[in-house]
Amino acid sequence: MTVETLQQWSAEAVEALSAAKAEPSWMRERRLAAWRCFEELAWPSGTEEEWRRTDLRGLHLEAYAPLPPVPPARQEEVPAVLQPHLALPETALGGLLLQQDGVPLRCELEPELRRQGVVFCPLEAAVQEYPELVAPYFMTQAVPAAMSKFTALHGALWQGGVFLYVPRGVQVALPLRALTVHGRAASLQQAHVLLVADEQAQVTFIEEQLSCAEDLPGLYNGVVEIFTQRGAQVTVLQIQNWSRRLWGFAYQRALLAEDSHLRWAVAGLGSRLHWTSLGVVLRGRGSSSRLFGLTLTDGRQHLDYQTLQDHQAPHTESDLLFKSALLGRSRTVFRGVIWLRPQAQHTNAYQADHSLLLSPHARADSLPILEIEADDVRCKHGSTTGRIDDEQLFYLMSRGLSAQEAQRMIVEGFLETVIAEFPVAGCQERLRQLVAARI
Amino acid sequence: MGTDLVIRDLHVSVEGKPILRGLNLEVKQGEIHALMGPNGSGKSTLAYTLMGHPKYHVDRGEVLLGGENLLAMDASARAQKGLFLAFQYPVTVPGVTLANFLRSAVSAVRRARGQLAVEAAGDGASPQEVLIPMRQFRRELLERMRALGIEEEFARRYLNEGFSGGEKKRIEILQLAMLEPKIAILDETDSGLDIDALRTVAEGIKRLAGPELGVLLITHYQRILNYITPHYVHVLLDGQIVESGGPELATTLEAKGYDWVREKHASVA
């Protein structure tokens, strides 16, 4: 993995991309600055704590090409393969944004929301139309380009993504949903999600990631940035269901201002390998977050979650629950950091992760890390890794369920307790279907 | 012909330690048998062994249900044949609602008994997955929940999660009612219940008892027998039934305690 082998990536390519998109100069400058970071930073060597359990040796970056800067021809039709994904079961939406390979295919928002000043559109469009809303947030505070080699590459060559802005005091009742689709073989997907909920705003945002085919090769290097301003209440639900031949990397951060609340639930189902850094930064007094995660892996899948609950202010609260069910030779890594900074007095932080091994060859690593620098805090973590409980199995079988039915029920139940934390009926239903199809 | 439970010369060990040592018992449909005994006499071992818990090893003897060899079947087949065990300590299964679980269980049992029409499936489900229609299931479930005084919201709660002792026992009886077994083993269903819960549970059992159901009521105490009068009472001591009689035997035990039996059968120990 050396830069020399990546001829399609260069400062010239960055300039060309920005020019092709006719971007304002501030964005071009940010891309170039990110490119300089990329050139200076090194790829993970595997000895870093965050990278020790994810082996990147099988990844050949040169095999993945950036998406064309400008879509070849305007596509109006939604490909047939995506039709079943357009609606969520039994769920009315306030907006839908469908993008394939960085190209918007659908962009809908309730006129009433538009009238209230809600912005929900492709990020490229927002860069042109709402620079005053995008520029202060884009890769400046939550995920700066200099965070890592991956974020630097993203900052230089990102394409596609979502901008969601909810103005002060606006309460968006119906969920807004984005579908991010990987359709081009061996492409580099670098979508960027930027969500800003202004003071006292309320919104639920759903992002589903999928590929057009189960075996479509790809590389995803994404960034998600979430800002909840004072008193905002935000729910973010993400379903990662990429192809089984996609390598994924994601840096996702939420910055919480005073008295704001974030519920963030993620499901990891797809990808060959996916590494995710997922963090909440409680910057404002009285802010709180609840994080939920579920994964279901099989074959040789490898999912790595590096979570961060960073308490920087007093009277903050965070809670995290992750559950992983593992089949085949799959492997999951959960490394969860709770950081209570000296000024974070009167805070509560909780973390629990549970893994259910359904095969003798599956492996789950769990590493809770507590950095406690404040003294008036409550901090708890719990972690379990086990197999199907014999007593549960016997109990269910004693009611007439076959061993197979009983096992299935236990596994579905294990994940259901997290699915129930996705507070949108259609998401729950979708997740149940995806889980049921895999067990 | 009735689906009788016949136990002959049953020897069972747990982790190499012999617990049951030549137990004989017959429970016919329509009969209520009380099996009493002090702690450690092997009561729960018998219950788990009959239901087919893999931890209990049958060293010798046979168990027949309706003439079929029960010991050759796994727990699920035993349930389908008409055996039911109400657990002393019902197991919690997070994420599985009582309603979902019972719908699957009732369907599995009815499929096995040929009581569930395969064509009722619709939506292309395979014959192994046919479920009892939701509407019919709900009707049956709610009716039986009402009869047992169980609040409707329990149907949506996760199986036994956060249930009180009395609620768990009542839910066991609800499952018994839904699965319509031929022979039900109640393993200390009366333990840990206050007097009101005991009465509710006992009345539930009484309502279900009848010519179609044989009951093996395993208990340490006589008090549940104030509500349910058994046809037969047996005393289990050190893995064998040492006394059998009518309901008066329970009264004797209540008055004299188990020491009396122990002294009488000192040779056994």
Side-chain angles (χ1 to χ4, degrees), chain A residues 189-215:
Chain A
Q189 305 271 333
Q190 302 203 85
H192 189 107
V193 174
L194 178 57
L195 189 166
V196 180
D198 218 326
E199 295 183 6
Q200 310 298 335
Q202 289 184 19
V203 69
T204 295
F205 171 66
I206 304 166
E207 190 197 17
E208 285 177 65
Q209 302 171 323
L210 59 127
S211 303
C212 284
E214 271 272 285
D215 58 351

PDB file of all heavy atoms in Angstrom, chain A residues 189-215:
ATOM      1  N   GLN A 189     -15.795   4.268  -2.816  1.00  0.00           N
ATOM      2  CA  GLN A 189     -16.975   5.010  -2.399  1.00  0.00           C
ATOM      3  C   GLN A 189     -16.582   5.884  -1.210  1.00  0.00           C
ATOM      4  O   GLN A 189     -16.111   5.361  -0.205  1.00  0.00           O
ATOM      5  CB  GLN A 189     -18.077   4.044  -1.961  1.00  0.00           C
ATOM      6  CG  GLN A 189     -18.458   3.009  -2.995  1.00  0.00           C
ATOM      7  CD  GLN A 189     -19.556   3.496  -3.929  1.00  0.00           C
ATOM      8  OE1 GLN A 189     -20.365   4.337  -3.557  1.00  0.00           O
ATOM      9  NE2 GLN A 189     -19.580   2.969  -5.143  1.00  0.00           N
ATOM     10  N   GLN A 190     -16.794   7.206  -1.354  1.00  0.00           N
ATOM     11  CA  GLN A 190     -16.406   8.085  -0.250  1.00  0.00           C
ATOM     12  C   GLN A 190     -17.514   9.085   0.066  1.00  0.00           C
ATOM     13  O   GLN A 190     -17.318  10.295  -0.057  1.00  0.00           O
ATOM     14  CB  GLN A 190     -15.093   8.808  -0.572  1.00  0.00           C
ATOM     15  CG  GLN A 190     -13.952   7.847  -0.849  1.00  0.00           C
ATOM     16  CD  GLN A 190     -12.598   8.490  -0.621  1.00  0.00           C
ATOM     17  OE1 GLN A 190     -12.099   8.515   0.491  1.00  0.00           O
ATOM     18  NE2 GLN A 190     -12.024   9.034  -1.671  1.00  0.00           N
ATOM     19  N   ALA A 191     -18.646   8.553   0.442  1.00  0.00           N
ATOM     20  CA  ALA A 191     -19.779   9.416   0.761  1.00  0.00           C
ATOM     21  C   ALA A 191     -19.572  10.060   2.125  1.00  0.00           C
ATOM     22  O   ALA A 191     -18.983   9.473   3.024  1.00  0.00           O
ATOM     23  CB  ALA A 191     -21.064   8.612   0.747  1.00  0.00           C
ATOM     24  N   HIS A 192     -20.100  11.280   2.237  1.00  0.00           N
ATOM     25  CA  HIS A 192     -19.942  12.040   3.477  1.00  0.00           C
ATOM     26  C   HIS A 192     -21.320  12.453   3.991  1.00  0.00           C
ATOM     27  O   HIS A 192     -22.098  13.053   3.255  1.00  0.00           O
ATOM     28  CB  HIS A 192     -19.101  13.289   3.202  1.00  0.00           C
ATOM     29  CG  HIS A 192     -18.711  14.023   4.443  1.00  0.00           C
ATOM     30  ND1 HIS A 192     -17.433  14.003   4.932  1.00  0.00           N
ATOM     31  CD2 HIS A 192     -19.437  14.776   5.305  1.00  0.00           C
ATOM     32  CE1 HIS A 192     -17.378  14.732   6.043  1.00  0.00           C
ATOM     33  NE2 HIS A 192     -18.586  15.213   6.300  1.00  0.00           N
ATOM     34  N   VAL A 193     -21.598  12.132   5.238  1.00  0.00           N
ATOM     35  CA  VAL A 193     -22.877  12.535   5.827  1.00  0.00           C
ATOM     36  C   VAL A 193     -22.617  13.643   6.837  1.00  0.00           C
ATOM     37  O   VAL A 193     -21.801  13.486   7.745  1.00  0.00           O
ATOM     38  CB  VAL A 193     -23.565  11.349   6.530  1.00  0.00           C
ATOM     39  CG1 VAL A 193     -24.814  11.824   7.273  1.00  0.00           C
ATOM     40  CG2 VAL A 193     -23.928  10.259   5.520  1.00  0.00           C
ATOM     41  N   LEU A 194     -23.319  14.761   6.644  1.00  0.00           N
ATOM     42  CA  LEU A 194     -23.194  15.882   7.577  1.00  0.00           C
ATOM     43  C   LEU A 194     -24.590  16.240   8.071  1.00  0.00           C
ATOM     44  O   LEU A 194     -25.472  16.573   7.281  1.00  0.00           O
ATOM     45  CB  LEU A 194     -22.542  17.073   6.868  1.00  0.00           C
ATOM     46  CG  LEU A 194     -22.381  18.367   7.692  1.00  0.00           C
ATOM     47  CD1 LEU A 194     -21.587  18.140   8.961  1.00  0.00           C
ATOM     48  CD2 LEU A 194     -21.710  19.446   6.830  1.00  0.00           C
ATOM     49  N   LEU A 195     -24.769  16.132   9.382  1.00  0.00           N
ATOM     50  CA  LEU A 195     -26.087  16.394   9.977  1.00  0.00           C
ATOM     51  C   LEU A 195     -25.931  17.492  11.025  1.00  0.00           C
ATOM     52  O   LEU A 195     -25.125  17.348  11.949  1.00  0.00           O
ATOM     53  CB  LEU A 195     -26.607  15.091  10.614  1.00  0.00           C
ATOM     54  CG  LEU A 195     -28.050  15.031  11.121  1.00  0.00           C
ATOM     55  CD1 LEU A 195     -28.450  13.578  11.379  1.00  0.00           C
ATOM     56  CD2 LEU A 195     -28.314  15.854  12.356  1.00  0.00           C
ATOM     57  N   VAL A 196     -26.696  18.536  10.854  1.00  0.00           N
ATOM     58  CA  VAL A 196     -26.658  19.617  11.842  1.00  0.00           C
ATOM     59  C   VAL A 196     -28.075  19.862  12.341  1.00  0.00           C
ATOM     60  O   VAL A 196     -28.964  20.236  11.567  1.00  0.00           O
ATOM     61  CB  VAL A 196     -26.086  20.926  11.236  1.00  0.00           C
ATOM     62  CG1 VAL A 196     -26.054  22.025  12.294  1.00  0.00           C
ATOM     63  CG2 VAL A 196     -24.694  20.675  10.655  1.00  0.00           C
ATOM     64  N   ALA A 197     -28.293  19.630  13.621  1.00  0.00           N
ATOM     65  CA  ALA A 197     -29.591  19.936  14.232  1.00  0.00           C
ATOM     66  C   ALA A 197     -29.385  21.177  15.085  1.00  0.00           C
ATOM     67  O   ALA A 197     -28.672  21.146  16.088  1.00  0.00           O
ATOM     68  CB  ALA A 197     -30.077  18.769  15.078  1.00  0.00           C
ATOM     69  N   ASP A 198     -30.022  22.257  14.678  1.00  0.00           N
ATOM     70  CA  ASP A 198     -29.829  23.520  15.387  1.00  0.00           C
ATOM     71  C   ASP A 198     -30.566  23.485  16.733  1.00  0.00           C
ATOM     72  O   ASP A 198     -31.229  22.498  17.055  1.00  0.00           O
ATOM     73  CB  ASP A 198     -30.315  24.683  14.511  1.00  0.00           C
ATOM     74  CG  ASP A 198     -29.392  25.897  14.668  1.00  0.00           C
ATOM     75  OD1 ASP A 198     -28.869  26.089  15.786  1.00  0.00           O
ATOM     76  OD2 ASP A 198     -29.212  26.636  13.686  1.00  0.00           O
ATOM     77  N   GLU A 199     -30.460  24.545  17.491  1.00  0.00           N
ATOM     78  CA  GLU A 199     -30.997  24.555  18.855  1.00  0.00           C
ATOM     79  C   GLU A 199     -32.454  24.115  18.907  1.00  0.00           C
ATOM     80  O   GLU A 199     -33.266  24.553  18.111  1.00  0.00           O
ATOM     81  CB  GLU A 199     -30.861  25.960  19.447  1.00  0.00           C
ATOM     82  CG  GLU A 199     -29.401  26.340  19.613  1.00  0.00           C
ATOM     83  CD  GLU A 199     -29.221  27.709  20.258  1.00  0.00           C
ATOM     84  OE1 GLU A 199     -30.229  28.290  20.675  1.00  0.00           O
ATOM     85  OE2 GLU A 199     -28.064  28.166  20.338  1.00  0.00           O
ATOM     86  N   GLN A 200     -32.746  23.235  19.847  1.00  0.00           N
ATOM     87  CA  GLN A 200     -34.104  22.742  20.105  1.00  0.00           C
ATOM     88  C   GLN A 200     -34.721  21.997  18.922  1.00  0.00           C
ATOM     89  O   GLN A 200     -35.919  21.727  18.926  1.00  0.00           O
ATOM     90  CB  GLN A 200     -35.063  23.880  20.530  1.00  0.00           C
ATOM     91  CG  GLN A 200     -34.555  24.772  21.638  1.00  0.00           C
ATOM     92  CD  GLN A 200     -34.324  24.029  22.940  1.00  0.00           C
ATOM     93  OE1 GLN A 200     -34.936  22.995  23.195  1.00  0.00           O
ATOM     94  NE2 GLN A 200     -33.411  24.515  23.773  1.00  0.00           N
ATOM     95  N   ALA A 201     -33.944  21.675  17.921  1.00  0.00           N
ATOM     96  CA  ALA A 201     -34.502  20.950  16.770  1.00  0.00           C
ATOM     97  C   ALA A 201     -34.661  19.474  17.119  1.00  0.00           C
ATOM     98  O   ALA A 201     -33.995  18.958  18.016  1.00  0.00           O
ATOM     99  CB  ALA A 201     -33.587  21.108  15.559  1.00  0.00           C
ATOM    100  N   GLN A 202     -35.561  18.819  16.401  1.00  0.00           N
ATOM    101  CA  GLN A 202     -35.733  17.376  16.584  1.00  0.00           C
ATOM    102  C   GLN A 202     -35.802  16.706  15.227  1.00  0.00           C
ATOM    103  O   GLN A 202     -36.527  17.152  14.346  1.00  0.00           O
ATOM    104  CB  GLN A 202     -37.029  17.070  17.345  1.00  0.00           C
ATOM    105  CG  GLN A 202     -36.962  17.464  18.804  1.00  0.00           C
ATOM    106  CD  GLN A 202     -38.220  17.054  19.551  1.00  0.00           C
ATOM    107  OE1 GLN A 202     -38.974  16.201  19.104  1.00  0.00           O
ATOM    108  NE2 GLN A 202     -38.437  17.668  20.691  1.00  0.00           N
ATOM    109  N   VAL A 203     -35.072  15.591  15.094  1.00  0.00           N
ATOM    110  CA  VAL A 203     -35.106  14.897  13.807  1.00  0.00           C
ATOM    111  C   VAL A 203     -34.647  13.451  13.961  1.00  0.00           C
ATOM    112  O   VAL A 203     -33.875  13.127  14.869  1.00  0.00           O
ATOM    113  CB  VAL A 203     -34.225  15.636  12.763  1.00  0.00           C
ATOM    114  CG1 VAL A 203     -32.743  15.512  13.101  1.00  0.00           C
ATOM    115  CG2 VAL A 203     -34.492  15.140  11.346  1.00  0.00           C
ATOM    116  N   THR A 204     -35.172  12.606  13.090  1.00  0.00           N
ATOM    117  CA  THR A 204     -34.714  11.216  12.998  1.00  0.00           C
ATOM    118  C   THR A 204     -34.179  10.996  11.597  1.00  0.00           C
ATOM    119  O   THR A 204     -34.876  11.266  10.615  1.00  0.00           O
ATOM    120  CB  THR A 204     -35.874  10.237  13.266  1.00  0.00           C
ATOM    121  OG1 THR A 204     -36.302  10.403  14.607  1.00  0.00           O
ATOM    122  CG2 THR A 204     -35.427   8.794  13.062  1.00  0.00           C
ATOM    123  N   PHE A 205     -32.949  10.527  11.524  1.00  0.00           N
ATOM    124  CA  PHE A 205     -32.308  10.304  10.235  1.00  0.00           C
ATOM    125  C   PHE A 205     -31.905   8.831  10.116  1.00  0.00           C
ATOM    126  O   PHE A 205     -31.333   8.261  11.039  1.00  0.00           O
ATOM    127  CB  PHE A 205     -31.069  11.202  10.113  1.00  0.00           C
ATOM    128  CG  PHE A 205     -30.208  10.909   8.916  1.00  0.00           C
ATOM    129  CD1 PHE A 205     -30.687  11.127   7.626  1.00  0.00           C
ATOM    130  CD2 PHE A 205     -28.927  10.391   9.069  1.00  0.00           C
ATOM    131  CE1 PHE A 205     -29.893  10.849   6.514  1.00  0.00           C
ATOM    132  CE2 PHE A 205     -28.135  10.114   7.959  1.00  0.00           C
ATOM    133  CZ  PHE A 205     -28.617  10.342   6.680  1.00  0.00           C
ATOM    134  N   ILE A 206     -32.245   8.251   8.967  1.00  0.00           N
ATOM    135  CA  ILE A 206     -31.919   6.844   8.730  1.00  0.00           C
ATOM    136  C   ILE A 206     -30.977   6.770   7.538  1.00  0.00           C
ATOM    137  O   ILE A 206     -31.259   7.366   6.494  1.00  0.00           O
ATOM    138  CB  ILE A 206     -33.194   6.040   8.378  1.00  0.00           C
ATOM    139  CG1 ILE A 206     -34.250   6.177   9.480  1.00  0.00           C
ATOM    140  CG2 ILE A 206     -32.861   4.578   8.120  1.00  0.00           C
ATOM    141  CD1 ILE A 206     -35.632   5.704   9.050  1.00  0.00           C
ATOM    142  N   GLU A 207     -29.879   6.059   7.679  1.00  0.00           N
ATOM    143  CA  GLU A 207     -29.039   5.802   6.513  1.00  0.00           C
ATOM    144  C   GLU A 207     -28.881   4.308   6.309  1.00  0.00           C
ATOM    145  O   GLU A 207     -28.473   3.586   7.221  1.00  0.00           O
ATOM    146  CB  GLU A 207     -27.639   6.422   6.635  1.00  0.00           C
ATOM    147  CG  GLU A 207     -26.913   6.336   5.287  1.00  0.00           C
ATOM    148  CD  GLU A 207     -25.400   6.539   5.333  1.00  0.00           C
ATOM    149  OE1 GLU A 207     -24.808   6.440   6.417  1.00  0.00           O
ATOM    150  OE2 GLU A 207     -24.821   6.763   4.251  1.00  0.00           O
ATOM    151  N   GLU A 208     -29.228   3.863   5.112  1.00  0.00           N
ATOM    152  CA  GLU A 208     -29.020   2.464   4.771  1.00  0.00           C
ATOM    153  C   GLU A 208     -27.989   2.379   3.670  1.00  0.00           C
ATOM    154  O   GLU A 208     -28.094   3.043   2.648  1.00  0.00           O
ATOM    155  CB  GLU A 208     -30.318   1.821   4.275  1.00  0.00           C
ATOM    156  CG  GLU A 208     -31.307   1.527   5.372  1.00  0.00           C
ATOM    157  CD  GLU A 208     -32.595   0.955   4.811  1.00  0.00           C
ATOM    158  OE1 GLU A 208     -32.568  -0.155   4.242  1.00  0.00           O
ATOM    159  OE2 GLU A 208     -33.620   1.643   4.917  1.00  0.00           O
ATOM    160  N   GLN A 209     -27.007   1.539   3.884  1.00  0.00           N
ATOM    161  CA  GLN A 209     -25.949   1.367   2.898  1.00  0.00           C
ATOM    162  C   GLN A 209     -26.071  -0.024   2.296  1.00  0.00           C
ATOM    163  O   GLN A 209     -26.161  -1.015   3.028  1.00  0.00           O
ATOM    164  CB  GLN A 209     -24.591   1.493   3.581  1.00  0.00           C
ATOM    165  CG  GLN A 209     -24.399   2.836   4.281  1.00  0.00           C
ATOM    166  CD  GLN A 209     -23.162   2.867   5.135  1.00  0.00           C
ATOM    167  OE1 GLN A 209     -22.808   1.876   5.770  1.00  0.00           O
ATOM    168  NE2 GLN A 209     -22.502   4.009   5.185  1.00  0.00           N
ATOM    169  N   LEU A 210     -26.083  -0.077   0.974  1.00  0.00           N
ATOM    170  CA  LEU A 210     -26.175  -1.386   0.344  1.00  0.00           C
ATOM    171  C   LEU A 210     -25.483  -1.394  -1.006  1.00  0.00           C
ATOM    172  O   LEU A 210     -25.183  -0.337  -1.570  1.00  0.00           O
ATOM    173  CB  LEU A 210     -27.641  -1.822   0.188  1.00  0.00           C
ATOM    174  CG  LEU A 210     -28.562  -0.930  -0.621  1.00  0.00           C
ATOM    175  CD1 LEU A 210     -29.252  -1.742  -1.697  1.00  0.00           C
ATOM    176  CD2 LEU A 210     -29.604  -0.319   0.288  1.00  0.00           C
ATOM    177  N   SER A 211     -25.248  -2.604  -1.505  1.00  0.00           N
ATOM    178  CA  SER A 211     -24.633  -2.775  -2.816  1.00  0.00           C
ATOM    179  C   SER A 211     -25.661  -3.382  -3.747  1.00  0.00           C
ATOM    180  O   SER A 211     -26.588  -4.045  -3.296  1.00  0.00           O
ATOM    181  CB  SER A 211     -23.427  -3.707  -2.716  1.00  0.00           C
ATOM    182  OG  SER A 211     -22.486  -3.207  -1.791  1.00  0.00           O
ATOM    183  N   CYS A 212     -25.467  -3.164  -5.041  1.00  0.00           N
ATOM    184  CA  CYS A 212     -26.435  -3.685  -6.006  1.00  0.00           C
ATOM    185  C   CYS A 212     -26.346  -5.201  -6.145  1.00  0.00           C
ATOM    186  O   CYS A 212     -27.267  -5.831  -6.630  1.00  0.00           O
ATOM    187  CB  CYS A 212     -26.245  -3.033  -7.380  1.00  0.00           C
ATOM    188  SG  CYS A 212     -26.906  -1.361  -7.413  1.00  0.00           S
ATOM    189  N   ALA A 213     -25.222  -5.768  -5.753  1.00  0.00           N
ATOM    190  CA  ALA A 213     -25.100  -7.231  -5.810  1.00  0.00           C
ATOM    191  C   ALA A 213     -24.280  -7.693  -4.613  1.00  0.00           C
ATOM    192  O   ALA A 213     -23.421  -6.966  -4.129  1.00  0.00           O
ATOM    193  CB  ALA A 213     -24.442  -7.667  -7.118  1.00  0.00           C
ATOM    194  N   GLU A 214     -24.580  -8.890  -4.177  1.00  0.00           N
ATOM    195  CA  GLU A 214     -23.934  -9.490  -2.995  1.00  0.00           C
ATOM    196  C   GLU A 214     -22.413  -9.598  -3.147  1.00  0.00           C
ATOM    197  O   GLU A 214     -21.687  -9.579  -2.171  1.00  0.00           O
ATOM    198  CB  GLU A 214     -24.453 -10.931  -2.818  1.00  0.00           C
ATOM    199  CG  GLU A 214     -25.694 -11.036  -1.985  1.00  0.00           C
ATOM    200  CD  GLU A 214     -25.350 -11.171  -0.507  1.00  0.00           C
ATOM    201  OE1 GLU A 214     -24.917 -12.282  -0.134  1.00  0.00           O
ATOM    202  OE2 GLU A 214     -25.495 -10.192   0.238  1.00  0.00           O
ATOM    203  N   ASP A 215     -21.961  -9.756  -4.414  1.00  0.00           N
ATOM    204  CA  ASP A 215     -20.545 -10.061  -4.621  1.00  0.00           C
ATOM    205  C   ASP A 215     -19.811  -8.924  -5.338  1.00  0.00           C
ATOM    206  O   ASP A 215     -18.794  -9.133  -5.970  1.00  0.00           O
ATOM    207  CB  ASP A 215     -20.414 -11.361  -5.417  1.00  0.00           C
ATOM    208  CG  ASP A 215     -21.137 -11.268  -6.747  1.00  0.00           C
ATOM    209  OD1 ASP A 215     -21.868 -10.269  -6.951  1.00  0.00           O
ATOM    210  OD2 ASP A 215     -20.982 -12.175  -7.585  1.00  0.00           O
TER     211      ASP A 215
END
